[in-house]
Amino acid sequence: MFNIAQLPAKYRQMSVAALEKRALEVKAQLGKDLFIPAHHYQKDEVLKFADKTGDSLELANYSRDNAAKYIVFCGVHFMAETADMLTADDQIVLLPDLRAGCSMADMANIQQVERCDRLLQEQYQIDVLPLTYVNSTAAIKAFVGRKNGACLTSGNAHKMVSWALSMNQVILFLPDQHLGRNTAYDLGVPLDQMAIYDPIRQTLIYEGDVSDIRIILWQGHCSVHEKFTTANIEHLRRTEPDRRIIVHPECSFDVVRQSDDNGSTRKIIQTIENAAPGTKWAIGTEMNLVNRLIKHHPELDIISLNPYMCACLTMNRIDLPHFVWCLDKIVAQDLSNQITVDAETTTYALQALDKMLQRQ
Ligand code: 13P
Ligand code: SF4
Protein backbone atom coordinates (compact mmCIF):
# COMPACT_ATOMS: atom_id res chain seq x y z
CA MET A 1 0.00 0.00 0.00
CA PHE A 2 1.36 3.42 -0.90
CA ASN A 3 1.48 6.37 1.50
CA ILE A 4 -1.08 9.08 0.90
CA ALA A 5 0.08 12.57 1.89
CA GLN A 6 -2.01 14.32 4.55
CA LEU A 7 -3.80 17.55 3.72
CA PRO A 8 -1.46 20.37 4.83
CA ALA A 9 -2.84 22.26 7.87
CA LYS A 10 -2.88 25.48 5.84
CA TYR A 11 -5.91 24.29 3.86
CA ARG A 12 -7.89 23.50 7.03
CA GLN A 13 -7.10 26.95 8.40
CA MET A 14 -8.18 28.88 5.29
CA SER A 15 -11.68 30.38 5.35
CA VAL A 16 -14.26 29.17 2.84
CA ALA A 17 -14.05 32.56 1.12
CA ALA A 18 -10.26 32.26 0.78
CA LEU A 19 -10.52 28.69 -0.55
CA GLU A 20 -13.16 29.70 -3.08
CA LYS A 21 -11.11 32.72 -4.19
CA ARG A 22 -8.09 30.45 -4.74
CA ALA A 23 -10.17 27.91 -6.70
CA LEU A 24 -11.40 30.66 -9.03
CA GLU A 25 -7.86 32.04 -9.46
CA VAL A 26 -6.47 28.65 -10.53
CA LYS A 27 -9.44 28.02 -12.82
CA ALA A 28 -8.80 31.38 -14.52
CA GLN A 29 -5.05 30.75 -14.71
CA LEU A 30 -5.37 27.28 -16.29
CA GLY A 31 -8.30 28.21 -18.55
CA LYS A 32 -8.97 25.59 -21.22
CA ASP A 33 -6.17 23.40 -19.84
CA LEU A 34 -8.40 22.49 -16.91
CA PHE A 35 -11.62 20.44 -16.95
CA ILE A 36 -13.59 19.64 -13.80
CA PRO A 37 -16.25 16.91 -14.04
CA ALA A 38 -18.25 16.20 -10.85
CA HIS A 39 -20.60 13.37 -9.94
CA HIS A 40 -24.07 14.30 -8.62
CA TYR A 41 -23.13 12.77 -5.24
CA GLN A 42 -20.43 15.40 -4.63
CA LYS A 43 -20.79 18.04 -1.95
CA ASP A 44 -22.16 21.44 -3.05
CA GLU A 45 -18.95 23.14 -1.91
CA VAL A 46 -17.07 21.26 -4.68
CA LEU A 47 -19.82 20.78 -7.25
CA LYS A 48 -20.21 24.55 -7.65
CA PHE A 49 -16.79 24.63 -9.38
CA ALA A 50 -17.61 21.86 -11.87
CA ASP A 51 -17.52 22.44 -15.62
CA LYS A 52 -19.89 19.49 -16.03
CA THR A 53 -21.97 17.48 -13.57
CA GLY A 54 -23.42 14.07 -14.30
CA ASP A 55 -23.99 10.45 -13.34
CA SER A 56 -21.28 7.91 -14.05
CA LEU A 57 -22.34 7.33 -17.67
CA GLU A 58 -22.50 11.05 -18.45
CA LEU A 59 -19.14 11.67 -16.79
CA ALA A 60 -17.55 8.90 -18.87
CA ASN A 61 -18.88 10.64 -22.00
CA TYR A 62 -17.67 14.08 -20.90
CA SER A 63 -14.22 12.75 -20.07
CA ARG A 64 -13.87 11.09 -23.46
CA ASP A 65 -15.06 14.18 -25.33
CA ASN A 66 -12.81 16.89 -23.88
CA ALA A 67 -9.27 17.87 -24.72
CA ALA A 68 -8.11 19.58 -21.49
CA LYS A 69 -4.60 18.83 -20.29
CA TYR A 70 -5.68 18.45 -16.64
CA ILE A 71 -8.88 16.74 -15.57
CA VAL A 72 -9.63 17.18 -11.86
CA PHE A 73 -12.14 14.41 -11.31
CA CYS A 74 -14.58 15.10 -8.50
CA GLY A 75 -15.93 11.62 -7.90
CA VAL A 76 -14.44 8.33 -6.77
CA HIS A 77 -11.38 6.32 -7.79
CA PHE A 78 -12.98 3.97 -10.36
CA MET A 79 -14.46 6.99 -12.18
CA ALA A 80 -11.05 8.67 -12.39
CA GLU A 81 -9.50 5.42 -13.69
CA THR A 82 -12.22 5.23 -16.33
CA ALA A 83 -11.57 8.85 -17.31
CA ASP A 84 -7.85 8.11 -17.65
CA MET A 85 -8.54 5.18 -19.96
CA LEU A 86 -10.97 7.17 -22.11
CA THR A 87 -8.65 10.15 -22.58
CA ALA A 88 -5.46 10.60 -24.59
CA ASP A 89 -2.06 9.61 -23.15
CA ASP A 90 -0.98 13.22 -22.66
CA GLN A 91 -4.08 14.16 -20.65
CA ILE A 92 -3.64 14.01 -16.88
CA VAL A 93 -6.47 12.84 -14.62
CA LEU A 94 -6.24 13.81 -10.95
CA LEU A 95 -8.35 12.79 -7.96
CA PRO A 96 -8.39 15.50 -5.24
CA ASP A 97 -8.28 12.92 -2.40
CA LEU A 98 -6.68 9.57 -3.24
CA ARG A 99 -8.67 7.93 -0.44
CA ALA A 100 -11.94 8.49 -2.33
CA GLY A 101 -12.67 4.85 -3.16
CA CYS A 102 -15.98 3.00 -3.38
CA SER A 103 -17.02 0.33 -0.88
CA MET A 104 -18.87 -1.57 -3.58
CA ALA A 105 -15.89 -1.59 -5.98
CA ASP A 106 -13.77 -2.88 -3.07
CA MET A 107 -15.99 -5.97 -2.84
CA ALA A 108 -14.33 -7.49 -5.93
CA ASN A 109 -10.63 -7.69 -6.73
CA ILE A 110 -9.04 -9.19 -9.82
CA GLN A 111 -7.67 -12.24 -7.99
CA GLN A 112 -11.13 -13.09 -6.68
CA VAL A 113 -12.67 -12.64 -10.12
CA GLU A 114 -10.09 -14.86 -11.84
CA ARG A 115 -10.55 -17.50 -9.12
CA CYS A 116 -14.32 -17.37 -9.65
CA ASP A 117 -13.89 -17.81 -13.41
CA ARG A 118 -11.58 -20.83 -12.90
CA LEU A 119 -13.91 -22.41 -10.37
CA LEU A 120 -16.94 -22.04 -12.65
CA GLN A 121 -15.06 -23.59 -15.57
CA GLU A 122 -13.45 -26.44 -13.65
CA GLN A 123 -16.27 -27.44 -11.29
CA TYR A 124 -19.34 -26.54 -13.36
CA GLN A 125 -18.09 -26.32 -16.98
CA ILE A 126 -19.58 -22.81 -17.18
CA ASP A 127 -17.72 -20.33 -19.37
CA VAL A 128 -19.27 -16.99 -18.38
CA LEU A 129 -19.86 -13.80 -20.33
CA PRO A 130 -18.88 -11.17 -17.73
CA LEU A 131 -20.65 -7.83 -17.28
CA THR A 132 -19.14 -5.37 -14.85
CA TYR A 133 -20.73 -2.29 -13.39
CA VAL A 134 -18.32 0.62 -13.93
CA ASN A 135 -17.98 0.58 -10.12
CA SER A 136 -15.01 -1.81 -10.43
CA THR A 137 -11.25 -1.62 -10.86
CA ALA A 138 -9.56 -1.15 -14.24
CA ALA A 139 -8.04 -4.65 -13.85
CA ILE A 140 -11.53 -6.17 -13.62
CA LYS A 141 -12.68 -4.15 -16.62
CA ALA A 142 -9.70 -5.56 -18.55
CA PHE A 143 -10.60 -9.13 -17.49
CA VAL A 144 -14.13 -8.49 -18.77
CA GLY A 145 -12.79 -7.06 -22.05
CA ARG A 146 -10.56 -10.12 -22.57
CA LYS A 147 -13.60 -12.38 -22.24
CA ASN A 148 -15.62 -10.29 -24.73
CA GLY A 149 -17.87 -8.93 -21.99
CA ALA A 150 -18.87 -5.33 -21.32
CA CYS A 151 -19.09 -2.58 -18.73
CA LEU A 152 -22.36 -0.92 -17.85
CA THR A 153 -23.77 1.76 -15.59
CA SER A 154 -27.17 2.04 -13.97
CA GLY A 155 -28.00 4.41 -16.84
CA ASN A 156 -27.81 1.69 -19.51
CA ALA A 157 -28.06 -1.53 -17.46
CA HIS A 158 -31.20 -2.76 -19.27
CA LYS A 159 -29.62 -2.35 -22.70
CA MET A 160 -26.40 -4.09 -21.62
CA VAL A 161 -28.03 -7.03 -19.82
CA SER A 162 -30.43 -7.44 -22.73
CA TRP A 163 -27.45 -7.59 -25.11
CA ALA A 164 -25.67 -10.13 -22.88
CA LEU A 165 -28.78 -12.33 -22.63
CA SER A 166 -28.96 -12.41 -26.43
CA MET A 167 -25.46 -13.94 -26.51
CA ASN A 168 -26.82 -17.19 -25.00
CA GLN A 169 -24.03 -17.55 -22.46
CA VAL A 170 -24.32 -17.61 -18.67
CA ILE A 171 -23.71 -14.03 -17.47
CA LEU A 172 -21.42 -13.23 -14.54
CA PHE A 173 -22.64 -9.85 -13.22
CA LEU A 174 -20.34 -7.99 -10.84
CA PRO A 175 -19.86 -6.48 -8.34
CA ASP A 176 -23.41 -5.31 -7.44
CA GLN A 177 -25.81 -8.21 -6.97
CA HIS A 178 -28.78 -5.84 -6.60
CA LEU A 179 -28.37 -3.98 -9.89
CA GLY A 180 -27.86 -7.36 -11.60
CA ARG A 181 -30.91 -9.00 -9.99
CA ASN A 182 -33.21 -5.98 -10.47
CA THR A 183 -32.24 -5.56 -14.12
CA ALA A 184 -32.34 -9.23 -15.12
CA TYR A 185 -35.73 -9.65 -13.40
CA ASP A 186 -37.13 -6.66 -15.32
CA LEU A 187 -35.95 -8.38 -18.51
CA GLY A 188 -37.84 -11.57 -17.69
CA VAL A 189 -35.22 -13.75 -15.98
CA PRO A 190 -36.94 -15.45 -13.02
CA LEU A 191 -35.20 -15.45 -9.62
CA ASP A 192 -34.83 -19.24 -9.75
CA GLN A 193 -32.52 -18.86 -12.78
CA MET A 194 -30.18 -16.55 -10.85
CA ALA A 195 -27.27 -17.87 -8.78
CA ILE A 196 -25.01 -15.99 -6.36
CA TYR A 197 -21.24 -16.22 -6.19
CA ASP A 198 -19.78 -15.66 -2.71
CA PRO A 199 -16.20 -14.40 -3.23
CA ILE A 200 -15.23 -14.83 0.44
CA ARG A 201 -16.26 -18.50 0.69
CA GLN A 202 -15.49 -19.03 -3.01
CA THR A 203 -18.82 -20.77 -3.47
CA LEU A 204 -21.57 -20.81 -6.03
CA ILE A 205 -24.90 -20.58 -4.21
CA TYR A 206 -27.73 -22.21 -6.17
CA GLU A 207 -30.37 -24.73 -5.23
CA GLY A 208 -31.60 -26.00 -8.60
CA ASP A 209 -30.04 -27.74 -11.58
CA VAL A 210 -26.91 -25.76 -12.55
CA SER A 211 -27.82 -26.03 -16.24
CA ASP A 212 -30.80 -23.70 -15.53
CA ILE A 213 -28.61 -20.78 -14.39
CA ARG A 214 -28.76 -17.73 -16.68
CA ILE A 215 -27.02 -15.16 -14.53
CA ILE A 216 -24.54 -15.41 -11.65
CA LEU A 217 -24.64 -12.41 -9.30
CA TRP A 218 -21.46 -11.41 -7.46
CA GLN A 219 -22.25 -11.03 -3.77
CA GLY A 220 -21.44 -7.32 -3.51
CA HIS A 221 -23.54 -4.28 -2.73
CA CYS A 222 -23.44 -0.53 -2.14
CA SER A 223 -23.15 0.35 1.54
CA VAL A 224 -25.16 3.53 0.92
CA HIS A 225 -28.11 2.10 -0.97
CA GLU A 226 -28.43 -0.99 1.25
CA LYS A 227 -29.59 1.39 4.01
CA PHE A 228 -33.03 1.74 2.41
CA THR A 229 -35.33 -0.96 3.73
CA THR A 230 -38.81 -2.34 3.20
CA ALA A 231 -39.56 -1.09 6.74
CA ASN A 232 -38.97 2.49 5.45
CA ILE A 233 -41.46 1.82 2.64
CA GLU A 234 -44.06 0.17 4.89
CA HIS A 235 -43.90 3.14 7.26
CA LEU A 236 -44.56 5.63 4.45
CA ARG A 237 -47.34 3.55 2.90
CA ARG A 238 -49.05 3.56 6.31
CA THR A 239 -48.51 7.22 7.19
CA GLU A 240 -48.42 8.98 3.79
CA PRO A 241 -49.96 6.79 1.08
CA ASP A 242 -49.93 9.69 -1.41
CA ARG A 243 -46.11 10.06 -1.30
CA ARG A 244 -44.49 8.49 -4.37
CA ILE A 245 -41.33 6.46 -3.78
CA ILE A 246 -38.47 6.33 -6.30
CA VAL A 247 -35.21 4.46 -5.60
CA HIS A 248 -31.88 3.67 -7.26
CA PRO A 249 -31.55 0.07 -8.56
CA GLU A 250 -28.55 -0.47 -6.25
CA CYS A 251 -31.25 -0.91 -3.56
CA SER A 252 -32.32 -4.45 -2.70
CA PHE A 253 -34.79 -6.42 -4.82
CA ASP A 254 -37.63 -6.10 -2.26
CA VAL A 255 -37.12 -2.34 -1.89
CA VAL A 256 -37.14 -1.84 -5.66
CA ARG A 257 -40.23 -4.06 -6.11
CA GLN A 258 -42.18 -2.23 -3.39
CA SER A 259 -41.28 1.26 -4.68
CA ASP A 260 -43.36 3.11 -7.26
CA ASP A 261 -40.42 3.62 -9.59
CA ASN A 262 -36.68 3.04 -9.82
CA GLY A 263 -33.84 4.20 -12.01
CA SER A 264 -30.36 5.58 -12.40
CA THR A 265 -29.23 8.88 -10.93
CA ARG A 266 -30.15 10.56 -14.23
CA LYS A 267 -33.63 9.03 -14.23
CA ILE A 268 -34.26 10.08 -10.62
CA ILE A 269 -33.24 13.67 -11.41
CA GLN A 270 -35.39 13.77 -14.58
CA THR A 271 -38.40 12.34 -12.74
CA ILE A 272 -38.15 15.03 -10.06
CA GLU A 273 -37.61 17.79 -12.64
CA ASN A 274 -40.77 16.70 -14.48
CA ALA A 275 -42.93 16.19 -11.38
CA ALA A 276 -46.16 18.18 -11.00
CA PRO A 277 -45.89 21.02 -8.44
CA GLY A 278 -47.27 20.10 -5.05
CA THR A 279 -46.54 16.37 -5.41
CA LYS A 280 -44.86 14.43 -2.60
CA TRP A 281 -41.76 12.27 -3.09
CA ALA A 282 -39.53 9.97 -1.07
CA ILE A 283 -36.18 9.29 -2.74
CA GLY A 284 -33.92 6.30 -2.05
CA THR A 285 -30.46 7.42 -3.07
CA GLU A 286 -27.37 9.27 -1.87
CA MET A 287 -28.03 12.19 0.47
CA ASN A 288 -25.97 15.00 -1.15
CA LEU A 289 -28.10 14.51 -4.25
CA VAL A 290 -31.38 14.25 -2.32
CA ASN A 291 -30.58 17.45 -0.37
CA ARG A 292 -29.77 19.26 -3.63
CA LEU A 293 -33.08 18.14 -5.17
CA ILE A 294 -34.92 19.35 -2.05
CA LYS A 295 -33.16 22.74 -2.33
CA HIS A 296 -33.73 23.17 -6.07
CA HIS A 297 -37.38 22.09 -6.02
CA PRO A 298 -39.24 24.09 -3.38
CA GLU A 299 -42.42 23.50 -5.42
CA LEU A 300 -42.26 19.80 -4.43
CA ASP A 301 -42.39 18.05 -1.07
CA ILE A 302 -39.29 15.78 -1.11
CA ILE A 303 -37.85 13.64 1.69
CA SER A 304 -35.29 10.85 1.90
CA LEU A 305 -36.86 7.37 1.99
CA ASN A 306 -34.69 6.70 5.06
CA PRO A 307 -34.94 9.68 7.47
CA TYR A 308 -31.59 8.75 9.07
CA MET A 309 -29.68 8.58 5.80
CA CYS A 310 -26.25 10.14 5.33
CA ALA A 311 -24.04 10.94 2.34
CA CYS A 312 -21.63 8.49 0.64
CA LEU A 313 -18.55 8.74 2.88
CA THR A 314 -16.05 8.14 0.10
CA MET A 315 -17.64 10.67 -2.27
CA ASN A 316 -17.52 13.11 0.65
CA ARG A 317 -13.75 12.79 0.97
CA ILE A 318 -13.52 15.29 -1.90
CA ASP A 319 -14.08 18.48 0.05
CA LEU A 320 -13.20 22.09 -0.71
CA PRO A 321 -9.79 22.00 1.06
CA HIS A 322 -8.67 18.86 -0.85
CA PHE A 323 -10.00 20.31 -4.10
CA VAL A 324 -8.03 23.56 -3.72
CA TRP A 325 -4.92 21.66 -2.60
CA CYS A 326 -5.15 19.57 -5.78
CA LEU A 327 -5.48 22.71 -7.94
CA ASP A 328 -2.48 24.29 -6.20
CA LYS A 329 -0.45 21.14 -6.87
CA ILE A 330 -1.16 21.39 -10.60
CA VAL A 331 0.18 24.95 -10.58
CA ALA A 332 3.26 23.72 -8.70
CA GLN A 333 3.63 20.84 -11.20
CA ASP A 334 3.26 18.26 -8.43
CA LEU A 335 1.23 15.46 -10.02
CA SER A 336 1.07 13.17 -6.98
CA ASN A 337 -2.73 12.98 -7.27
CA GLN A 338 -2.59 11.58 -10.80
CA ILE A 339 -4.55 8.40 -11.53
CA THR A 340 -2.98 6.23 -14.23
CA VAL A 341 -3.84 2.88 -15.75
CA ASP A 342 -1.12 0.94 -17.59
CA ALA A 343 -1.34 0.50 -21.36
CA GLU A 344 -2.14 -3.24 -21.45
CA THR A 345 -4.94 -2.95 -18.89
CA THR A 346 -6.30 0.06 -20.78
CA THR A 347 -6.34 -1.80 -24.12
CA TYR A 348 -8.55 -4.61 -22.81
CA ALA A 349 -10.66 -2.46 -20.48
CA LEU A 350 -11.47 -0.15 -23.40
CA GLN A 351 -12.97 -3.09 -25.28
CA ALA A 352 -15.46 -3.49 -22.41
CA LEU A 353 -16.00 0.27 -22.01
CA ASP A 354 -16.56 0.81 -25.75
CA LYS A 355 -19.46 -1.66 -25.73
CA MET A 356 -21.00 0.36 -22.87
CA LEU A 357 -20.58 3.66 -24.69
CA GLN A 358 -22.09 2.24 -27.89
CA ARG A 359 -25.36 1.35 -26.09
CA GLN A 360 -26.65 4.39 -24.23
P1 13P B 1 -24.85 6.23 -11.32
O1 13P B 1 -24.13 7.51 -11.35
O2 13P B 1 -24.49 5.37 -12.49
O3 13P B 1 -26.31 6.35 -11.14
O4 13P B 1 -24.30 5.38 -10.08
C1 13P B 1 -24.55 5.67 -8.79
C2 13P B 1 -23.39 5.41 -7.95
O5 13P B 1 -23.49 4.80 -6.94
C3 13P B 1 -22.11 5.95 -8.35
O6 13P B 1 -21.17 5.46 -7.54
FE1 SF4 C 1 -19.73 3.35 -4.21
FE2 SF4 C 1 -22.22 3.33 -3.22
FE3 SF4 C 1 -20.64 5.46 -2.81
FE4 SF4 C 1 -21.59 4.93 -5.27
S1 SF4 C 1 -22.78 5.47 -3.47
S2 SF4 C 1 -19.49 5.52 -4.73
S3 SF4 C 1 -21.59 2.67 -5.25
S4 SF4 C 1 -20.31 3.35 -2.05
Side-chain angles (χ1 to χ4, degrees):
M1 195 53 199
F2 55 96
N3 280 329
I4 297 175
Q6 295 286 316
L7 179 75
K10 164 185 155 186
Y11 292 96
R12 288 269 169 245
Q13 286 150 8
M14 285 168 79
S15 66
V16 171
L19 287 165
E20 290 189 340
K21 180 165 170 283
R22 183 62 190 148
L24 292 174
E25 277 167 11
V26 179
K27 276 192 78 160
Q29 183 181 340
L30 294 175
K32 284 195 173 12
D33 280 346
L34 177 65
F35 177 64
I36 304 172
H39 192 272
H40 289 301
Y41 294 177
Q42 288 286 290
K43 293 175 167 193
D44 281 346
E45 66 188 43
V46 168
L47 194 109
K48 69 201 288 187
F49 293 103
D51 295 309
K52 288 281 186 190
T53 58
D55 64 9
S56 42
L57 186 56
E58 290 163 331
L59 294 182
N61 284 323
Y62 296 141
S63 303
R64 185 193 50 182
D65 295 343
N66 89 90
K69 180 164 182 199
Y70 303 105
I71 298 168
V72 173
F73 206 102
C74 296
V76 289
H77 191 272
F78 72 81
M79 296 179 183
E81 273 190 339
T82 302
D84 181 56
M85 294 189 284
L86 291 172
T87 49
D89 288 349
D90 57 354
Q91 290 179 282
I92 294 165
V93 178
L94 303 119
L95 187 64
D97 186 340
L98 295 173
R99 301 168 307 165
C102 162
S103 59
M104 177 202 286
D106 288 345
M107 290 180 196
N109 65 43
I110 185 62
Q111 289 79 17
Q112 291 172 319
V113 174
E114 286 174 347
R115 205 178 296 132
C116 166
D117 188 40
R118 272 198 308 276
L119 180 134
L120 293 173
Q121 295 200 44
E122 288 166 11
Q123 278 191 29
Y124 300 98
Q125 289 74 54
I126 299 176
D127 185 20
V128 291
L129 178 65
L131 283 181
T132 188
Y133 198 15
V134 281
N135 301 36
S136 55
T137 63
I140 291 177
K141 292 183 175 82
F143 165 89
V144 169
R146 277 194 189 90
K147 284 188 70 95
N148 300 316
C151 295
L152 56 86
T153 75
S154 56
N156 71 349
H158 284 79
K159 284 185 186 153
M160 297 312 300
V161 174
S162 175
W163 163 78
L165 287 168
S166 76
M167 304 304 279
N168 289 325
Q169 238 179 301
V170 175
I171 300 168
L172 172 64
F173 189 102
L174 64 153
D176 182 16
Q177 60 169 309
H178 300 305
L179 181 64
R181 185 178 293 111
N182 287 322
T183 310
Y185 188 83
D186 281 349
L187 292 168
V189 180
L191 294 180
D192 62 9
Q193 292 180 0
M194 301 186 199
I196 293 173
Y197 179 76
D198 177 343
I200 306 297
R201 292 183 183 78
Q202 299 169 38
T203 318
L204 184 70
I205 303 168
Y206 188 67
E207 283 178 358
D209 181 339
V210 171
S211 65
D212 290 335
I213 297 174
R214 292 177 68 198
I215 184 164
I216 299 170
L217 307 165
W218 191 269
Q219 200 169 45
H221 62 268
C222 165
S223 46
V224 173
H225 289 92
E226 73 160 1
K227 302 240 162 31
F228 299 102
T229 63
T230 52
N232 295 143
I233 298 182
E234 283 153 19
H235 173 75
L236 279 183
R237 297 295 191 214
R238 230 179 13 255
T239 55
E240 295 188 90
D242 57 339
R243 192 176 283 283
R244 280 185 69 77
I245 300 174
I246 182 165
V247 300
H248 195 283
E250 287 174 18
C251 293
S252 73
F253 182 75
D254 290 339
V255 166
V256 168
R257 287 293 119 199
Q258 290 182 30
S259 297
D260 297 303
D261 202 355
N262 73 91
S264 65
T265 302
R266 180 173 42 181
K267 175 167 174 187
I268 291 174
I269 294 172
Q270 283 170 352
T271 304
I272 294 300
E273 281 172 353
N274 295 329
T279 49
K280 296 164 88 176
W281 294 86
I283 305 180
T285 195
E286 200 273 344
M287 211 53 218
N288 283 326
L289 173 59
V290 175
N291 281 334
R292 193 170 301 119
L293 291 171
I294 291 172
K295 194 161 105 194
H296 290 175
H297 292 280
E299 79 285 7
L300 303 175
D301 176 348
I302 302 173
I303 59 171
S304 168
L305 175 57
N306 178 344
Y308 303 111
M309 199 58 197
C310 51
C312 170
L313 292 176
T314 49
M315 283 275 180
N316 262 9
R317 286 192 188 276
I318 315 289
D319 57 10
L320 185 58
H322 280 89
F323 176 68
V324 174
W325 182 34
C326 182
L327 294 181
D328 272 343
K329 285 205 261 188
I330 297 174
V331 175
Q333 283 301 288
D334 167 358
L335 300 181
S336 49
N337 282 53
Q338 187 175 359
I339 302 296
T340 51
V341 180
D342 67 80
E344 192 188 343
T345 304
T346 299
T347 300
Y348 289 106
L350 278 179
Q351 294 176 12
L353 282 165
D354 281 346
K355 290 198 184 82
M356 168 181 103
L357 294 171
Q358 281 159 18
R359 292 178 184 80
Q360 300 196 32

